[in-house]
Amino acid sequence: MGGVLRLNDQSHRQVAIARWRSEIALLPQKPVIIPGTVADNLLYPLHTFGIQKERLDERHESLPNAETLEKELHSVGLHDIRLEREAGSLSGGQQARLSLIRLLLTQPQIILADEPTAGVDKAASELVLDRLQRFCEQGGAVLLTSHVYAEQVNEAKIVLEAQSIKT
């Protein structure tokens, strides 16, 4: 069995691995939180990965300011979370939403989201799904796995059941 992965009509053999990693982002079910504040966690990939700096330079943009970070936190229901708060003190559901915003700030084209609503209540789940929907409306794509909210996603679906695949 074989095949070719494509990104913007280019074969995976033509695209540098660093480019793949900057364009396709994984949102794991269990978030990874680094020691430090909420702001440290949000800005970590922007400080760490050179490809993001290149993108910002190309667009003549700078790193997001505190107002932008707070607006993003509010978009997923984290109104009461201060940027100075220790990220490790957040609940699991809050950490998951923080992880989503951190990923979105890197501006990928494709998000692979593994159960992005796991560990959050129904209201927060709706905010997460709405935020992912907005990402799609802005030109991004999301491949989402979910046991709970599959019927709310109104785009193309692939349903795995036993040994068969339904589209």
Side-chain angles (χ1 to χ4, degrees):
M1 190 172 348
V4 176
L5 297 173
R6 295 194 165 285
L7 178 64
N8 295 328
D9 289 328
Q10 288 186 307
S11 163
H12 68 281
R13 292 179 181 93
Q14 298 170 309
V15 179
I17 192 72
R19 178 72 188 235
W20 277 97
R21 290 179 180 153
S22 72
E23 301 293 342
I24 302 171
L26 173 65
L27 182 63
Q29 182 174 352
K30 182 169 176 21
V32 175
I33 301 299
I34 63 165
T37 66
V38 167
D40 293 337
N41 271 266
L42 291 173
L43 296 174
Y44 177 78
L46 303 180
H47 288 299
T48 305
F49 304 115
I51 199 85
Q52 179 62 24
K53 182 175 179 348
E54 291 173 20
R55 265 198 216 144
L56 291 171
D57 290 345
E58 287 172 9
R59 296 177 185 171
H60 305 292
E61 296 176 2
S62 59
L63 291 172
N65 60 24
E67 182 180 339
T68 300
L69 296 178
E70 288 171 351
K71 181 179 175 185
E72 286 294 341
L73 290 172
H74 291 192
S75 75
V76 292
L78 297 176
H79 302 87
D80 58 338
I81 303 300
R82 312 265 317 150
L83 293 173
E84 303 81 25
R85 184 170 171 180
E86 284 298 314
S89 72
L90 300 175
S91 71
Q94 291 170 326
Q95 288 181 2
R97 289 179 279 163
L98 174 67
S99 183
L100 169 62
I101 296 305
R102 178 179 56 206
L103 182 143
L104 289 168
L105 289 171
T106 67
Q107 302 175 347
Q109 288 186 19
I110 301 168
I111 296 174
L112 308 175
D114 181 15
E115 296 281 353
T117 58
V120 297
D121 62 26
K122 184 172 172 44
S125 293
E126 290 175 6
L127 290 170
V128 166
L129 293 173
D130 286 347
R131 187 63 187 89
L132 289 171
Q133 181 67 37
R134 268 200 331 252
F135 171 77
C136 291
E137 290 167 357
Q138 296 167 344
V142 176
L143 178 60
L144 180 145
T145 62
S146 176
H147 291 92
V148 180
Y149 294 98
E151 295 306 315
Q152 290 185 3
V153 180
N154 59 7
E155 299 298 325
K157 294 182 191 104
I158 299 172
V159 180
L160 303 175
E161 292 179 356
Q163 298 298 318
S164 63
I165 298 176
K166 298 178 183 181
T167 58

